[in-house]
Amino acid sequence: MRPMHTHTAEQPPAAAQGCEPSEPQPVTLRADDGYPLGGFVWRHREPPAHGAPRPVVIVNAATSVRCRYYFRFAAWLHRHGWDAIVYDYRGIGESRPENLSALDASWLDWGERDFEAVLRYAHKAFAGQPIDVVGHSIGGFVIGLAPSNALVRRVFTMGAQYAHWRDYARRSRAAMLWKWHVVMPALTRLYGYFPAGRLGWMEDTPRGVAIAWSRSRARFEETYRHAPIARGHAQRQALASRFAALRAPILAASVTDDAFGTVAAIERLLGYFTHSDTLHLRIAPAAIGAESIGHFAFFHSRFETSLWPIALGWLRTGQLEPSTPGAIVSSRGAPG
């Protein structure tokens, strides 16, 4: 497929012209357990010229990646007509407590409490506006955990999965098993959290997240069978069934040089969203003239004209343009 035609940053499309400067405003939200979550909001001061409600997009970060990493992407969506919200999960960045070792938090908390709080905030603060979500890596997974996920209109994910070790790319599996399933849990037991920042791997990470990652099972809910992150059988089943409440169509993008976002990993997560139309698009770096993309670089500004329009087009119409680079791995419709 040919690379998608896009506008350059110096010549924004007509829909983006006249937009206010992309200056985010800090915001602090409270999860249902009172935990303070820090984030940033880009909000237009004027109503959209076409009269239809302006959509708002929530960007869900990857595991232990600060929300500031997504600033340029969120500002770009703002210039193209969206209001935008980025935030940090508890324990990370703007939402890090003074004593991280005292924090009990797992991926479940990031979804059913933190993303849920941001989703409810968007529903109230941007009343009447459609809510879209962009989820990077675990940020696509936590969408399914939020009790209010039925509020979402459309979803775009990049490399979204929950790190089951059998899904790691074969070429990298041995090194990843050592890094994430031996070193990470060992250091977490020693420090009370995973000191990933000292290793230059990512942000320091709450111990519950590190434990869940290192124990990740083929069925994610089975990861939470044992202390200290245990949930009862009924609770685990309720978590899995919550994904079916999402009715938003999902475009799940992946790239061929992402050792986390393999076909098996992406498809494993999509299988939980049983009431959403899902489309899995897989992109080789060569298809956009790049040497590599990997797990993180989609949101780097160097891909503003080649990859970001894929997300924008999907959020705008719920469809892929014919010239979109990549190949369709799977396409499934929700039951009628």
Side-chain angles (χ1 to χ4, degrees):
M1 304 173 77
R2 298 185 307 277
M4 183 184 299
H5 175 73
T6 59
H7 298 268
T8 66
E10 290 74 21
Q11 294 180 323
Q17 293 175 359
C19 290
E20 303 91 335
S22 299
E23 293 296 332
Q25 298 299 312
V27 63
T28 300
L29 312 177
R30 295 277 174 178
D32 63 1
D33 62 347
Y35 194 95
L37 302 169
F40 298 87
V41 174
W42 287 257
R43 188 165 195 168
H44 290 268
R45 294 187 294 270
E46 302 296 332
H50 50 69
R54 183 189 306 281
V56 56
V57 61
I58 302 169
V59 180
N60 285 348
T63 296
S64 302
V65 176
R66 297 186 66 154
C67 70
R68 290 176 179 269
Y69 180 69
Y70 305 92
F71 265 29
R72 286 173 290 189
F73 178 72
W76 184 82
L77 290 177
H78 177 264
R79 292 197 302 271
H80 284 77
W82 272 254
D83 292 327
I85 304 168
V86 302
Y87 69 101
D88 281 312
Y89 309 119
R90 63 186 64 199
I92 308 300
E94 310 295 322
S95 304
R96 176 170 177 156
E98 184 174 341
N99 182 8
L100 186 56
S101 64
L103 177 65
D104 286 315
S106 74
W107 280 330
L108 302 186
D109 296 293
W110 287 2
E112 62 183 355
R113 288 180 168 171
D114 299 352
F115 173 59
E116 171 70 10
V118 179
L119 185 55
R120 297 300 304 180
Y121 164 77
H123 182 61
K124 181 177 181 179
F126 298 84
Q129 298 179 222
I131 301 172
D132 299 328
V133 180
V134 171
H136 181 202
S137 192
I138 206 67
F141 168 72
V142 302
I143 297 170
L145 296 170
S148 299
N149 61 26
L151 294 172
V152 178
R153 179 184 69 162
R154 294 190 186 109
V155 172
F156 173 84
T157 65
M158 179 62 215
Q161 35 65 52
Y162 50 88
H164 175 51
W165 70 270
R166 290 186 183 274
D167 294 336
Y168 296 159
R170 188 175 300 274
R171 66 184 182 278
S172 307
R173 188 175 298 163
M176 294 172 74
L177 282 169
W178 172 255
K179 185 174 183 178
W180 304 117
H181 301 266
V182 178
V183 175
M184 180 168 63
L187 290 179
T188 299
R189 287 192 294 270
L190 180 64
Y191 286 91
Y193 66 94
F194 180 42
R198 302 185 188 188
L199 302 174
W201 291 1
M202 55 187 185
E203 294 293 311
D204 293 342
T205 303
R207 63 175 172 269
V209 172
I211 292 169
W213 185 343
S214 65
R215 295 180 181 178
S216 189
R217 301 293 189 265
R219 294 288 302 180
F220 89 84
E221 62 271 25
E222 295 306 302
T223 302
Y224 300 90
R225 292 176 62 92
H226 304 291
I229 57 173
R231 296 286 183 98
H233 175 76
Q235 291 177 307
R236 297 197 305 273
Q237 296 307 305
L239 285 170
S241 64
R242 197 174 288 162
F243 285 67
L246 185 77
R247 296 297 195 272
I250 302 170
L251 173 58
S254 66
V255 295
T256 57
D257 64 336
D258 179 0
F260 286 106
T262 61
V263 169
I266 305 301
E267 292 293 314
R268 188 180 300 278
L269 175 57
L270 287 178
Y272 279 92
F273 293 104
T274 55
H275 285 79
S276 293
D277 294 338
T278 64
L279 186 64
H280 180 181
L281 174 69
R282 193 154 180 83
I283 305 166
I288 60 166
E291 293 185 4
S292 65
I293 302 171
H295 191 57
F296 294 101
F298 178 97
F299 296 95
H300 194 282
S301 58
R302 70 178 179 271
F303 294 122
E304 176 180 331
T305 60
S306 56
L307 293 178
W308 292 6
I310 301 173
L312 179 69
W314 179 262
L315 297 183
R316 181 174 284 154
T317 68
Q319 297 180 342
L320 283 183
E321 298 205 13
S323 58
T324 302
I328 302 301
V329 174
S330 66
S331 178
R332 290 186 289 270

